[in-house]
């Protein structure tokens, strides 16, 4: 494959607290804010607490999920005194770090999250085949061998991407778990800190002209989600994740494998027609959304060699 030349990544935003009870990002951004200057000489790094009201209350959100408020339609919607706080905040962040889809947007926006699921360190991209994000992913894989580093993509049109990272020209979420919400674990915090450091290290090298070789990478694409079994009348859940599936994120789930265990002790098996990869297994924040897990597909993507474009 030919070398792909891309513009320098000069303006970077690192955001924490998009969900106010995911504390690794909150405390890492606060730590980075203590420094008088972020990034190298050729990189401007802005640190932002995305949802300060939710952070203050140590809640996921105050009125609605901020990380679902960045579609083009939501960002352009009129605001009134009845507009939920997070929708107003999304437009403020879009003005600060975007506007989304504009030349003025941050070159790269990194949003920091935690999950209660056993996901290791995951890099999410709101769009498919972002070569900058995929090369950063390869860099973290090489430099963090003690951590399982995975890459997930939603593969939806940019205008429909609903997460904060979609505001930047390049956007990625660093999501690390398992960590309970409202808690900071040293190992999780330090992994996030190292991931951000390595991301900024890669950006500095890219901007200096380093050629990053291409290669094949494994990418998981987010598919359908599954709800817990529920009572037909009360709609209360009647089962939880089966012990053989719990903590088995990214482990292939075959038709007939145990999926749920009812509170009466019955095993419910996976009825799908193809093996898929469960992710966000038993994520605490998804109970309110009616999601027990997502099922993802894995594919191999050929990433080209990339180098900064010189004027």
């Amino acid at each position: 494959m030919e070398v792909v030349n891309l513009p320098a990544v000069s303006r970077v935003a690192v955001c924490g607290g998009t969900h106010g009870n995911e504390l690794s990002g909150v405390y890492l951004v606060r730590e980075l804010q203590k420094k008088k200057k972020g990034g190298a000489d050729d990189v401007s790094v802005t640190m932002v607490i995305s949802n300060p009201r939710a952070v203050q209350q140590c809640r996921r959100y105050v009125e609605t999920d901020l990380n679902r408020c960045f579609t083009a339609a939501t960002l352009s919607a009129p605001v009134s005194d009845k507009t939920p706080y997070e929708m107003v905040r999304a437009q403020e962040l879009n003005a600060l770090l975007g506007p989304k889809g504009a030349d003025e947007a941050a070159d790269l926006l990194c949003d920091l999250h935690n999950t209660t699921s056993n996901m290791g360190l995951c890099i999410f991209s709101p769009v498919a085949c972002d070569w900058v994000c995929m090369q950063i992913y390869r860099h973290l894989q090489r430099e963090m061998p003690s951590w399982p580093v995975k890459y997930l993509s939603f593969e939806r049109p940019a205008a429909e991407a609903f997460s904060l990272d979609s505001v930047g020209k390049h956007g990625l979420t660093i999501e690390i778990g398992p960590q309970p919400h409202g808690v900071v674990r040293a190992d999780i915090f330090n992994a996030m800190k190292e991931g951000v450091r390595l991301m900024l290290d890669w950006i500095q090298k890219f901007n200096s002209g380093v050629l990053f070789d291409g290669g094949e990478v494994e990418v998981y694409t987010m598919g359908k989600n599954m709800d817990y079994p529920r009572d037909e009348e009360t709609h209360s859940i009647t089962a939880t994740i089966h012990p053989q599936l719990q903590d088995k994120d990214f482990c292939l789930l075959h038709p007939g494998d145990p999926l749920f265990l009812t509170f009466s002790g019955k095993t419910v098996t996976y009825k799908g027609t193809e093996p898929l990869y469960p992710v966000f297994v038993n994520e605490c924040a998804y109970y309110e959304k009616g999601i027990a897990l997502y099922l993802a597909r894995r594919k191999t993507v050929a990433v080209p060699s990339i180098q900064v474009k010189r004027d």
Side-chain angles (χ1 to χ4, degrees), residues 3-297:
V3 175
V4 175
N5 296 110
L6 297 171
V9 180
S10 302
R11 294 168 295 161
V12 176
V14 178
C15 302
T18 299
H19 293 139
N21 58 0
E22 297 177 11
L23 297 187
S24 294
V26 172
Y27 286 105
L28 180 54
V29 166
R30 286 176 176 172
E31 187 68 19
L32 294 172
Q33 286 175 333
K34 293 178 183 178
K35 299 181 180 181
K36 294 182 180 180
K37 183 179 180 181
D41 292 338
D42 59 345
V43 182
S44 169
V45 183
T46 301
M47 279 74 72
V48 179
I49 295 294
S50 310
N51 195 336
R53 290 189 188 178
V55 169
Q56 185 179 32
Q57 299 177 37
C58 197
R59 297 170 56 184
R60 182 174 175 86
Y61 55 80
V62 177
E63 294 184 79
T64 192
D65 192 336
L66 177 61
N67 213 36
R68 303 295 185 271
C69 291
F70 293 93
T71 63
T74 302
L75 292 174
S76 61
V79 172
S80 71
D81 56 1
K82 295 183 180 180
T83 303
Y85 164 70
E86 276 84 5
M87 290 187 179
V88 176
R89 181 60 177 160
Q91 295 193 10
E92 294 173 353
L93 290 168
N94 188 52
L96 175 67
L97 305 175
K100 181 175 180 175
D103 290 341
E104 297 81 13
D107 294 317
L108 187 143
L109 196 158
C110 174
D111 197 20
L112 304 176
H113 286 260
N114 291 122
T115 174
T116 63
S117 301
N118 190 31
M119 298 275 283
L121 190 157
C122 294
I123 292 179
F124 282 81
S125 176
V127 296
C129 297
D130 186 312
W131 304 136
V132 165
C133 294
M134 285 189 174
Q135 286 283 4
I136 291 172
Y137 161 55
R138 298 184 74 210
H139 186 60
L140 265 62
Q141 277 193 320
R142 288 191 297 265
E143 300 297 324
M144 299 181 70
S146 62
W147 274 86
V149 180
K150 300 290 196 299
Y151 189 100
L152 293 101
S153 174
F154 284 94
E155 298 193 346
R156 56 170 57 94
E160 297 176 12
F162 51 66
S163 51
L164 172 57
D165 53 8
S166 68
V167 170
K169 294 188 183 75
H170 304 283
L172 62 88
T173 288
I174 295 179
E175 178 122 30
I176 310 184
Q179 177 172 280
H181 296 322
V183 169
V184 185
R185 283 179 46 158
D187 56 342
I188 302 294
F189 176 87
N190 287 333
M192 182 175 285
K193 184 177 181 180
E194 181 68 359
V196 171
R197 185 192 71 79
L198 288 169
M199 177 191 71
L200 296 175
D201 174 68
W202 183 92
I203 291 169
Q204 182 180 359
K205 291 177 179 177
F206 173 72
N207 288 346
S208 71
V210 172
L211 171 66
F212 288 92
D213 291 332
E216 293 186 341
V217 298
E218 289 184 347
V219 174
Y220 294 83
T221 58
M222 297 287 281
K224 65 179 181 179
N225 61 66
M226 297 188 68
D227 194 3
Y228 300 91
R230 293 183 181 271
D231 184 276
E232 293 182 359
E233 294 182 1
T234 67
H235 301 293
S236 297
I237 65 172
T238 58
T240 187
I241 295 294
H242 195 280
Q244 292 184 33
L245 178 58
Q246 182 62 51
D247 299 325
K248 296 300 192 299
D249 299 74
F250 296 106
C251 294
L252 197 58
L253 181 68
H254 294 87
D257 284 349
L259 182 59
F260 299 109
L261 183 65
T262 69
F263 298 136
S264 62
K266 179 183 177 181
T267 293
V268 179
T269 59
Y270 171 50
K271 301 296 195 299
T273 58
E274 62 176 318
L276 293 171
Y277 294 86
V279 295
F280 286 111
V281 176
N282 209 13
E283 159 62 43
C284 168
Y286 289 169
Y287 274 70
E288 69 174 27
K289 300 179 185 297
I291 297 173
L293 71 161
Y294 281 91
L295 292 172
R297 288 182 170 84

